[in-house]
Amino acid sequence: MQFTAEQRLDDGVLEREFTLGAIPGTLWTPGSAPAPLVLMAHNNGLPKADPRLVARARYTAARGYAVATIDAAGCGDRPRSAADEQARADLRRAMRAGEPVDEILESFIGPLVENAVPEWQTTLDALLELPGIGGPVGYSGGWTALGIRLAVVEPRIAAAGFFAGGYVPRAQREEARQVTIPVLFLLQWDDEGNPRQRALDLFDAFGSKEKTLHANPGGHTGTPWFELDDGCRFLDRHLK
């Protein structure tokens, strides 16, 4: 892991850009150490510098956590294949038209998840070798399918916060039954991009004895900011 830039932010959080082979990432660490680690993932081609993700990461780091994100293949500035771009366009068009999207979802999102998991595990290995960062590890992010897969295959992850979850490939919907760590599931009741019933069915499928659903009115980007505080309290219970 090579750090390429760093800055100390007004809230005392240290923000560092890094590369790990072909993987670009950002690490936020608090002034105190040691700090439990939270992996914060995104999808839909969004960059790691997406303002909503950065705001969540900085808030969480200021609460005493090391927070890391990476650009998965096809996200941010990483190369995108013509086939992936066409699949994204087909998915957006079908969603706008109210057409079935399951086949597009399976052929596009499924491989993205399979390819992203090893990169996240490689990143996790490198992060846990850094001074001042330790376990247990949490997952927090809008890429619910990736989080489910990581929760199943990665024993170092002790708790997970998921957002949305309406469009999750079939394999991860089945794997949700194997998720037994504590789960906090955020659902925007009027999310135009995530069918409500599918999200509720996914929550029901989780095998965790401790799982909590927070539902709020509003669209996809309307999650109330107090959920950040609730999310940190959830992490506090299971990572500290």
mmCIF file with all atom_site columns, all heavy atoms in Angstrom, residues 186-208:
data_model
loop_
_atom_site.group_PDB
_atom_site.id
_atom_site.type_symbol
_atom_site.label_atom_id
_atom_site.label_alt_id
_atom_site.label_comp_id
_atom_site.label_asym_id
_atom_site.label_entity_id
_atom_site.label_seq_id
_atom_site.pdbx_PDB_ins_code
_atom_site.Cartn_x
_atom_site.Cartn_y
_atom_site.Cartn_z
_atom_site.occupancy
_atom_site.B_iso_or_equiv
_atom_site.pdbx_formal_charge
_atom_site.auth_seq_id
_atom_site.auth_comp_id
_atom_site.auth_asym_id
_atom_site.auth_atom_id
_atom_site.pdbx_PDB_model_num
ATOM 1   N N   . LEU A 1 186 ? -31.084 0.176   6.369  1.00 0.00 ? 186 LEU A N   1
ATOM 2   C CA  . LEU A 1 186 ? -31.753 1.448   6.138  1.00 0.00 ? 186 LEU A CA  1
ATOM 3   C C   . LEU A 1 186 ? -32.578 1.368   4.858  1.00 0.00 ? 186 LEU A C   1
ATOM 4   O O   . LEU A 1 186 ? -32.083 0.912   3.821  1.00 0.00 ? 186 LEU A O   1
ATOM 5   C CB  . LEU A 1 186 ? -30.747 2.584   6.011  1.00 0.00 ? 186 LEU A CB  1
ATOM 6   C CG  . LEU A 1 186 ? -29.834 2.852   7.203  1.00 0.00 ? 186 LEU A CG  1
ATOM 7   C CD1 . LEU A 1 186 ? -28.990 4.097   6.940  1.00 0.00 ? 186 LEU A CD1 1
ATOM 8   C CD2 . LEU A 1 186 ? -30.642 3.020   8.477  1.00 0.00 ? 186 LEU A CD2 1
ATOM 9   N N   . LEU A 1 187 ? -33.823 1.821   4.945  1.00 0.00 ? 187 LEU A N   1
ATOM 10  C CA  . LEU A 1 187 ? -34.733 1.761   3.807  1.00 0.00 ? 187 LEU A CA  1
ATOM 11  C C   . LEU A 1 187 ? -35.443 3.098   3.655  1.00 0.00 ? 187 LEU A C   1
ATOM 12  O O   . LEU A 1 187 ? -36.078 3.584   4.598  1.00 0.00 ? 187 LEU A O   1
ATOM 13  C CB  . LEU A 1 187 ? -35.762 0.640   4.022  1.00 0.00 ? 187 LEU A CB  1
ATOM 14  C CG  . LEU A 1 187 ? -36.925 0.573   3.038  1.00 0.00 ? 187 LEU A CG  1
ATOM 15  C CD1 . LEU A 1 187 ? -36.413 0.280   1.632  1.00 0.00 ? 187 LEU A CD1 1
ATOM 16  C CD2 . LEU A 1 187 ? -37.937 -0.492  3.472  1.00 0.00 ? 187 LEU A CD2 1
ATOM 17  N N   . GLN A 1 188 ? -35.299 3.689   2.482  1.00 0.00 ? 188 GLN A N   1
ATOM 18  C CA  . GLN A 1 188 ? -36.109 4.852   2.140  1.00 0.00 ? 188 GLN A CA  1
ATOM 19  C C   . GLN A 1 188 ? -37.437 4.361   1.551  1.00 0.00 ? 188 GLN A C   1
ATOM 20  O O   . GLN A 1 188 ? -37.457 3.723   0.509  1.00 0.00 ? 188 GLN A O   1
ATOM 21  C CB  . GLN A 1 188 ? -35.359 5.746   1.155  1.00 0.00 ? 188 GLN A CB  1
ATOM 22  C CG  . GLN A 1 188 ? -34.237 6.560   1.781  1.00 0.00 ? 188 GLN A CG  1
ATOM 23  C CD  . GLN A 1 188 ? -34.735 7.464   2.887  1.00 0.00 ? 188 GLN A CD  1
ATOM 24  O OE1 . GLN A 1 188 ? -34.583 7.142   4.064  1.00 0.00 ? 188 GLN A OE1 1
ATOM 25  N NE2 . GLN A 1 188 ? -35.349 8.582   2.517  1.00 0.00 ? 188 GLN A NE2 1
ATOM 26  N N   . TRP A 1 189 ? -38.505 4.690   2.219  1.00 0.00 ? 189 TRP A N   1
ATOM 27  C CA  . TRP A 1 189 ? -39.816 4.101   1.916  1.00 0.00 ? 189 TRP A CA  1
ATOM 28  C C   . TRP A 1 189 ? -40.284 4.419   0.500  1.00 0.00 ? 189 TRP A C   1
ATOM 29  O O   . TRP A 1 189 ? -41.010 3.642   -0.117 1.00 0.00 ? 189 TRP A O   1
ATOM 30  C CB  . TRP A 1 189 ? -40.834 4.601   2.942  1.00 0.00 ? 189 TRP A CB  1
ATOM 31  C CG  . TRP A 1 189 ? -42.015 3.703   3.109  1.00 0.00 ? 189 TRP A CG  1
ATOM 32  C CD1 . TRP A 1 189 ? -43.322 3.984   2.786  1.00 0.00 ? 189 TRP A CD1 1
ATOM 33  C CD2 . TRP A 1 189 ? -42.030 2.383   3.663  1.00 0.00 ? 189 TRP A CD2 1
ATOM 34  N NE1 . TRP A 1 189 ? -44.130 2.922   3.108  1.00 0.00 ? 189 TRP A NE1 1
ATOM 35  C CE2 . TRP A 1 189 ? -43.357 1.923   3.652  1.00 0.00 ? 189 TRP A CE2 1
ATOM 36  C CE3 . TRP A 1 189 ? -41.034 1.542   4.176  1.00 0.00 ? 189 TRP A CE3 1
ATOM 37  C CZ2 . TRP A 1 189 ? -43.728 0.675   4.124  1.00 0.00 ? 189 TRP A CZ2 1
ATOM 38  C CZ3 . TRP A 1 189 ? -41.396 0.292   4.646  1.00 0.00 ? 189 TRP A CZ3 1
ATOM 39  C CH2 . TRP A 1 189 ? -42.726 -0.124  4.622  1.00 0.00 ? 189 TRP A CH2 1
ATOM 40  N N   . ASP A 1 190 ? -39.872 5.556   -0.027 1.00 0.00 ? 190 ASP A N   1
ATOM 41  C CA  . ASP A 1 190 ? -40.322 5.996   -1.350 1.00 0.00 ? 190 ASP A CA  1
ATOM 42  C C   . ASP A 1 190 ? -39.180 5.989   -2.362 1.00 0.00 ? 190 ASP A C   1
ATOM 43  O O   . ASP A 1 190 ? -39.199 6.759   -3.327 1.00 0.00 ? 190 ASP A O   1
ATOM 44  C CB  . ASP A 1 190 ? -40.929 7.404   -1.252 1.00 0.00 ? 190 ASP A CB  1
ATOM 45  C CG  . ASP A 1 190 ? -41.974 7.492   -0.153 1.00 0.00 ? 190 ASP A CG  1
ATOM 46  O OD1 . ASP A 1 190 ? -42.976 6.756   -0.233 1.00 0.00 ? 190 ASP A OD1 1
ATOM 47  O OD2 . ASP A 1 190 ? -41.786 8.285   0.792  1.00 0.00 ? 190 ASP A OD2 1
ATOM 48  N N   . ASP A 1 191 ? -38.205 5.127   -2.146 1.00 0.00 ? 191 ASP A N   1
ATOM 49  C CA  . ASP A 1 191 ? -37.027 5.047   -3.011 1.00 0.00 ? 191 ASP A CA  1
ATOM 50  C C   . ASP A 1 191 ? -37.456 4.670   -4.426 1.00 0.00 ? 191 ASP A C   1
ATOM 51  O O   . ASP A 1 191 ? -37.975 3.569   -4.666 1.00 0.00 ? 191 ASP A O   1
ATOM 52  C CB  . ASP A 1 191 ? -36.056 4.007   -2.448 1.00 0.00 ? 191 ASP A CB  1
ATOM 53  C CG  . ASP A 1 191 ? -34.704 4.035   -3.133 1.00 0.00 ? 191 ASP A CG  1
ATOM 54  O OD1 . ASP A 1 191 ? -34.637 4.469   -4.298 1.00 0.00 ? 191 ASP A OD1 1
ATOM 55  O OD2 . ASP A 1 191 ? -33.718 3.621   -2.502 1.00 0.00 ? 191 ASP A OD2 1
ATOM 56  N N   . GLU A 1 192 ? -37.227 5.596   -5.357 1.00 0.00 ? 192 GLU A N   1
ATOM 57  C CA  . GLU A 1 192 ? -37.643 5.376   -6.733 1.00 0.00 ? 192 GLU A CA  1
ATOM 58  C C   . GLU A 1 192 ? -36.812 4.312   -7.432 1.00 0.00 ? 192 GLU A C   1
ATOM 59  O O   . GLU A 1 192 ? -37.232 3.780   -8.469 1.00 0.00 ? 192 GLU A O   1
ATOM 60  C CB  . GLU A 1 192 ? -37.549 6.692   -7.506 1.00 0.00 ? 192 GLU A CB  1
ATOM 61  C CG  . GLU A 1 192 ? -36.145 7.286   -7.619 1.00 0.00 ? 192 GLU A CG  1
ATOM 62  C CD  . GLU A 1 192 ? -35.670 8.030   -6.381 1.00 0.00 ? 192 GLU A CD  1
ATOM 63  O OE1 . GLU A 1 192 ? -36.406 8.071   -5.359 1.00 0.00 ? 192 GLU A OE1 1
ATOM 64  O OE2 . GLU A 1 192 ? -34.545 8.561   -6.414 1.00 0.00 ? 192 GLU A OE2 1
ATOM 65  N N   . GLY A 1 193 ? -35.649 3.972   -6.891 1.00 0.00 ? 193 GLY A N   1
ATOM 66  C CA  . GLY A 1 193 ? -34.774 3.027   -7.559 1.00 0.00 ? 193 GLY A CA  1
ATOM 67  C C   . GLY A 1 193 ? -34.667 1.678   -6.889 1.00 0.00 ? 193 GLY A C   1
ATOM 68  O O   . GLY A 1 193 ? -33.942 0.806   -7.366 1.00 0.00 ? 193 GLY A O   1
ATOM 69  N N   . ASN A 1 194 ? -35.370 1.473   -5.778 1.00 0.00 ? 194 ASN A N   1
ATOM 70  C CA  . ASN A 1 194 ? -35.291 0.203   -5.063 1.00 0.00 ? 194 ASN A CA  1
ATOM 71  C C   . ASN A 1 194 ? -36.689 -0.233  -4.632 1.00 0.00 ? 194 ASN A C   1
ATOM 72  O O   . ASN A 1 194 ? -37.276 0.376   -3.732 1.00 0.00 ? 194 ASN A O   1
ATOM 73  C CB  . ASN A 1 194 ? -34.399 0.340   -3.824 1.00 0.00 ? 194 ASN A CB  1
ATOM 74  C CG  . ASN A 1 194 ? -32.929 0.317   -4.167 1.00 0.00 ? 194 ASN A CG  1
ATOM 75  O OD1 . ASN A 1 194 ? -32.323 -0.731  -4.298 1.00 0.00 ? 194 ASN A OD1 1
ATOM 76  N ND2 . ASN A 1 194 ? -32.349 1.506   -4.317 1.00 0.00 ? 194 ASN A ND2 1
ATOM 77  N N   . PRO A 1 195 ? -37.227 -1.276  -5.256 1.00 0.00 ? 195 PRO A N   1
ATOM 78  C CA  . PRO A 1 195 ? -38.572 -1.728  -4.911 1.00 0.00 ? 195 PRO A CA  1
ATOM 79  C C   . PRO A 1 195 ? -38.683 -2.058  -3.426 1.00 0.00 ? 195 PRO A C   1
ATOM 80  O O   . PRO A 1 195 ? -37.908 -2.847  -2.891 1.00 0.00 ? 195 PRO A O   1
ATOM 81  C CB  . PRO A 1 195 ? -38.761 -2.975  -5.776 1.00 0.00 ? 195 PRO A CB  1
ATOM 82  C CG  . PRO A 1 195 ? -37.812 -2.787  -6.917 1.00 0.00 ? 195 PRO A CG  1
ATOM 83  C CD  . PRO A 1 195 ? -36.644 -2.064  -6.347 1.00 0.00 ? 195 PRO A CD  1
ATOM 84  N N   . ARG A 1 196 ? -39.667 -1.466  -2.767 1.00 0.00 ? 196 ARG A N   1
ATOM 85  C CA  . ARG A 1 196 ? -39.814 -1.595  -1.318 1.00 0.00 ? 196 ARG A CA  1
ATOM 86  C C   . ARG A 1 196 ? -39.985 -3.047  -0.883 1.00 0.00 ? 196 ARG A C   1
ATOM 87  O O   . ARG A 1 196 ? -39.328 -3.501  0.066  1.00 0.00 ? 196 ARG A O   1
ATOM 88  C CB  . ARG A 1 196 ? -41.004 -0.764  -0.852 1.00 0.00 ? 196 ARG A CB  1
ATOM 89  C CG  . ARG A 1 196 ? -41.246 -0.796  0.639  1.00 0.00 ? 196 ARG A CG  1
ATOM 90  C CD  . ARG A 1 196 ? -42.595 -0.172  0.972  1.00 0.00 ? 196 ARG A CD  1
ATOM 91  N NE  . ARG A 1 196 ? -42.705 1.173   0.416  1.00 0.00 ? 196 ARG A NE  1
ATOM 92  C CZ  . ARG A 1 196 ? -43.871 1.816   0.303  1.00 0.00 ? 196 ARG A CZ  1
ATOM 93  N NH1 . ARG A 1 196 ? -44.994 1.227   0.657  1.00 0.00 ? 196 ARG A NH1 1
ATOM 94  N NH2 . ARG A 1 196 ? -43.897 3.040   -0.192 1.00 0.00 ? 196 ARG A NH2 1
ATOM 95  N N   . GLN A 1 197 ? -40.854 -3.785  -1.577 1.00 0.00 ? 197 GLN A N   1
ATOM 96  C CA  . GLN A 1 197 ? -41.130 -5.148  -1.123 1.00 0.00 ? 197 GLN A CA  1
ATOM 97  C C   . GLN A 1 197 ? -39.907 -6.032  -1.264 1.00 0.00 ? 197 GLN A C   1
ATOM 98  O O   . GLN A 1 197 ? -39.650 -6.888  -0.410 1.00 0.00 ? 197 GLN A O   1
ATOM 99  C CB  . GLN A 1 197 ? -42.301 -5.752  -1.899 1.00 0.00 ? 197 GLN A CB  1
ATOM 100 C CG  . GLN A 1 197 ? -42.804 -7.069  -1.312 1.00 0.00 ? 197 GLN A CG  1
ATOM 101 C CD  . GLN A 1 197 ? -43.205 -6.930  0.150  1.00 0.00 ? 197 GLN A CD  1
ATOM 102 O OE1 . GLN A 1 197 ? -44.021 -6.075  0.501  1.00 0.00 ? 197 GLN A OE1 1
ATOM 103 N NE2 . GLN A 1 197 ? -42.640 -7.766  1.020  1.00 0.00 ? 197 GLN A NE2 1
ATOM 104 N N   . ARG A 1 198 ? -39.117 -5.821  -2.297 1.00 0.00 ? 198 ARG A N   1
ATOM 105 C CA  . ARG A 1 198 ? -37.906 -6.621  -2.453 1.00 0.00 ? 198 ARG A CA  1
ATOM 106 C C   . ARG A 1 198 ? -36.921 -6.332  -1.325 1.00 0.00 ? 198 ARG A C   1
ATOM 107 O O   . ARG A 1 198 ? -36.247 -7.235  -0.826 1.00 0.00 ? 198 ARG A O   1
ATOM 108 C CB  . ARG A 1 198 ? -37.256 -6.348  -3.810 1.00 0.00 ? 198 ARG A CB  1
ATOM 109 C CG  . ARG A 1 198 ? -38.038 -6.910  -4.984 1.00 0.00 ? 198 ARG A CG  1
ATOM 110 C CD  . ARG A 1 198 ? -37.377 -6.600  -6.312 1.00 0.00 ? 198 ARG A CD  1
ATOM 111 N NE  . ARG A 1 198 ? -36.091 -7.257  -6.431 1.00 0.00 ? 198 ARG A NE  1
ATOM 112 C CZ  . ARG A 1 198 ? -35.686 -7.906  -7.517 1.00 0.00 ? 198 ARG A CZ  1
ATOM 113 N NH1 . ARG A 1 198 ? -36.473 -7.990  -8.567 1.00 0.00 ? 198 ARG A NH1 1
ATOM 114 N NH2 . ARG A 1 198 ? -34.498 -8.458  -7.568 1.00 0.00 ? 198 ARG A NH2 1
ATOM 115 N N   . ALA A 1 199 ? -36.843 -5.064  -0.921 1.00 0.00 ? 199 ALA A N   1
ATOM 116 C CA  . ALA A 1 199 ? -35.960 -4.716  0.193  1.00 0.00 ? 199 ALA A CA  1
ATOM 117 C C   . ALA A 1 199 ? -36.460 -5.349  1.486  1.00 0.00 ? 199 ALA A C   1
ATOM 118 O O   . ALA A 1 199 ? -35.666 -5.866  2.288  1.00 0.00 ? 199 ALA A O   1
ATOM 119 C CB  . ALA A 1 199 ? -35.872 -3.200  0.338  1.00 0.00 ? 199 ALA A CB  1
ATOM 120 N N   . LEU A 1 200 ? -37.767 -5.323  1.710  1.00 0.00 ? 200 LEU A N   1
ATOM 121 C CA  . LEU A 1 200 ? -38.322 -5.925  2.917  1.00 0.00 ? 200 LEU A CA  1
ATOM 122 C C   . LEU A 1 200 ? -38.111 -7.437  2.917  1.00 0.00 ? 200 LEU A C   1
ATOM 123 O O   . LEU A 1 200 ? -37.814 -8.034  3.967  1.00 0.00 ? 200 LEU A O   1
ATOM 124 C CB  . LEU A 1 200 ? -39.816 -5.599  3.026  1.00 0.00 ? 200 LEU A CB  1
ATOM 125 C CG  . LEU A 1 200 ? -40.156 -4.126  3.277  1.00 0.00 ? 200 LEU A CG  1
ATOM 126 C CD1 . LEU A 1 200 ? -41.659 -3.907  3.162  1.00 0.00 ? 200 LEU A CD1 1
ATOM 127 C CD2 . LEU A 1 200 ? -39.656 -3.680  4.646  1.00 0.00 ? 200 LEU A CD2 1
ATOM 128 N N   . ASP A 1 201 ? -38.254 -8.062  1.770  1.00 0.00 ? 201 ASP A N   1
ATOM 129 C CA  . ASP A 1 201 ? -38.018 -9.508  1.677  1.00 0.00 ? 201 ASP A CA  1
ATOM 130 C C   . ASP A 1 201 ? -36.557 -9.834  1.979  1.00 0.00 ? 201 ASP A C   1
ATOM 131 O O   . ASP A 1 201 ? -36.257 -10.852 2.622  1.00 0.00 ? 201 ASP A O   1
ATOM 132 C CB  . ASP A 1 201 ? -38.385 -10.020 0.283  1.00 0.00 ? 201 ASP A CB  1
ATOM 133 C CG  . ASP A 1 201 ? -39.885 -9.989  0.016  1.00 0.00 ? 201 ASP A CG  1
ATOM 134 O OD1 . ASP A 1 201 ? -40.657 -9.876  0.982  1.00 0.00 ? 201 ASP A OD1 1
ATOM 135 O OD2 . ASP A 1 201 ? -40.268 -10.061 -1.168 1.00 0.00 ? 201 ASP A OD2 1
ATOM 136 N N   . LEU A 1 202 ? -35.650 -8.978  1.516  1.00 0.00 ? 202 LEU A N   1
ATOM 137 C CA  . LEU A 1 202 ? -34.235 -9.201  1.798  1.00 0.00 ? 202 LEU A CA  1
ATOM 138 C C   . LEU A 1 202 ? -33.964 -9.089  3.292  1.00 0.00 ? 202 LEU A C   1
ATOM 139 O O   . LEU A 1 202 ? -33.247 -9.924  3.868  1.00 0.00 ? 202 LEU A O   1
ATOM 140 C CB  . LEU A 1 202 ? -33.382 -8.193  1.032  1.00 0.00 ? 202 LEU A CB  1
ATOM 141 C CG  . LEU A 1 202 ? -31.875 -8.277  1.249  1.00 0.00 ? 202 LEU A CG  1
ATOM 142 C CD1 . LEU A 1 202 ? -31.327 -9.613  0.756  1.00 0.00 ? 202 LEU A CD1 1
ATOM 143 C CD2 . LEU A 1 202 ? -31.157 -7.117  0.554  1.00 0.00 ? 202 LEU A CD2 1
ATOM 144 N N   . PHE A 1 203 ? -34.530 -8.081  3.930  1.00 0.00 ? 203 PHE A N   1
ATOM 145 C CA  . PHE A 1 203 ? -34.351 -7.940  5.375  1.00 0.00 ? 203 PHE A CA  1
ATOM 146 C C   . PHE A 1 203 ? -34.858 -9.179  6.100  1.00 0.00 ? 203 PHE A C   1
ATOM 147 O O   . PHE A 1 203 ? -34.213 -9.685  7.030  1.00 0.00 ? 203 PHE A O   1
ATOM 148 C CB  . PHE A 1 203 ? -35.081 -6.697  5.882  1.00 0.00 ? 203 PHE A CB  1
ATOM 149 C CG  . PHE A 1 203 ? -35.026 -6.531  7.370  1.00 0.00 ? 203 PHE A CG  1
ATOM 150 C CD1 . PHE A 1 203 ? -33.877 -6.064  7.992  1.00 0.00 ? 203 PHE A CD1 1
ATOM 151 C CD2 . PHE A 1 203 ? -36.112 -6.859  8.161  1.00 0.00 ? 203 PHE A CD2 1
ATOM 152 C CE1 . PHE A 1 203 ? -33.818 -5.920  9.371  1.00 0.00 ? 203 PHE A CE1 1
ATOM 153 C CE2 . PHE A 1 203 ? -36.067 -6.722  9.542  1.00 0.00 ? 203 PHE A CE2 1
ATOM 154 C CZ  . PHE A 1 203 ? -34.914 -6.248  10.145 1.00 0.00 ? 203 PHE A CZ  1
ATOM 155 N N   . ASP A 1 204 ? -36.002 -9.679  5.682  1.00 0.00 ? 204 ASP A N   1
ATOM 156 C CA  . ASP A 1 204 ? -36.572 -10.871 6.304  1.00 0.00 ? 204 ASP A CA  1
ATOM 157 C C   . ASP A 1 204 ? -35.660 -12.081 6.126  1.00 0.00 ? 204 ASP A C   1
ATOM 158 O O   . ASP A 1 204 ? -35.599 -12.957 6.991  1.00 0.00 ? 204 ASP A O   1
ATOM 159 C CB  . ASP A 1 204 ? -37.944 -11.151 5.702  1.00 0.00 ? 204 ASP A CB  1
ATOM 160 C CG  . ASP A 1 204 ? -38.714 -12.217 6.461  1.00 0.00 ? 204 ASP A CG  1
ATOM 161 O OD1 . ASP A 1 204 ? -38.791 -12.132 7.705  1.00 0.00 ? 204 ASP A OD1 1
ATOM 162 O OD2 . ASP A 1 204 ? -39.215 -13.156 5.817  1.00 0.00 ? 204 ASP A OD2 1
ATOM 163 N N   . ALA A 1 205 ? -34.910 -12.125 5.015  1.00 0.00 ? 205 ALA A N   1
ATOM 164 C CA  . ALA A 1 205 ? -34.073 -13.289 4.715  1.00 0.00 ? 205 ALA A CA  1
ATOM 165 C C   . ALA A 1 205 ? -32.805 -13.346 5.554  1.00 0.00 ? 205 ALA A C   1
ATOM 166 O O   . ALA A 1 205 ? -32.240 -14.439 5.734  1.00 0.00 ? 205 ALA A O   1
ATOM 167 C CB  . ALA A 1 205 ? -33.704 -13.294 3.234  1.00 0.00 ? 205 ALA A CB  1
ATOM 168 N N   . PHE A 1 206 ? -32.328 -12.203 6.061  1.00 0.00 ? 206 PHE A N   1
ATOM 169 C CA  . PHE A 1 206 ? -31.086 -12.240 6.840  1.00 0.00 ? 206 PHE A CA  1
ATOM 170 C C   . PHE A 1 206 ? -31.208 -13.220 7.995  1.00 0.00 ? 206 PHE A C   1
ATOM 171 O O   . PHE A 1 206 ? -32.201 -13.236 8.726  1.00 0.00 ? 206 PHE A O   1
ATOM 172 C CB  . PHE A 1 206 ? -30.743 -10.852 7.378  1.00 0.00 ? 206 PHE A CB  1
ATOM 173 C CG  . PHE A 1 206 ? -30.221 -9.901  6.350  1.00 0.00 ? 206 PHE A CG  1
ATOM 174 C CD1 . PHE A 1 206 ? -30.862 -8.693  6.106  1.00 0.00 ? 206 PHE A CD1 1
ATOM 175 C CD2 . PHE A 1 206 ? -29.087 -10.209 5.613  1.00 0.00 ? 206 PHE A CD2 1
ATOM 176 C CE1 . PHE A 1 206 ? -30.384 -7.817  5.149  1.00 0.00 ? 206 PHE A CE1 1
ATOM 177 C CE2 . PHE A 1 206 ? -28.608 -9.336  4.644  1.00 0.00 ? 206 PHE A CE2 1
ATOM 178 C CZ  . PHE A 1 206 ? -29.261 -8.144  4.411  1.00 0.00 ? 206 PHE A CZ  1
ATOM 179 N N   . GLY A 1 207 ? -30.144 -14.017 8.192  1.00 0.00 ? 207 GLY A N   1
ATOM 180 C CA  . GLY A 1 207 ? -30.171 -15.018 9.255  1.00 0.00 ? 207 GLY A CA  1
ATOM 181 C C   . GLY A 1 207 ? -29.718 -14.496 10.599 1.00 0.00 ? 207 GLY A C   1
ATOM 182 O O   . GLY A 1 207 ? -29.615 -15.274 11.558 1.00 0.00 ? 207 GLY A O   1
ATOM 183 N N   . SER A 1 208 ? -29.466 -13.211 10.715 1.00 0.00 ? 208 SER A N   1
ATOM 184 C CA  . SER A 1 208 ? -28.956 -12.628 11.951 1.00 0.00 ? 208 SER A CA  1
ATOM 185 C C   . SER A 1 208 ? -30.007 -12.646 13.058 1.00 0.00 ? 208 SER A C   1
ATOM 186 O O   . SER A 1 208 ? -31.179 -12.341 12.822 1.00 0.00 ? 208 SER A O   1
ATOM 187 C CB  . SER A 1 208 ? -28.527 -11.177 11.707 1.00 0.00 ? 208 SER A CB  1
ATOM 188 O OG  . SER A 1 208 ? -27.639 -11.088 10.622 1.00 0.00 ? 208 SER A OG  1
#
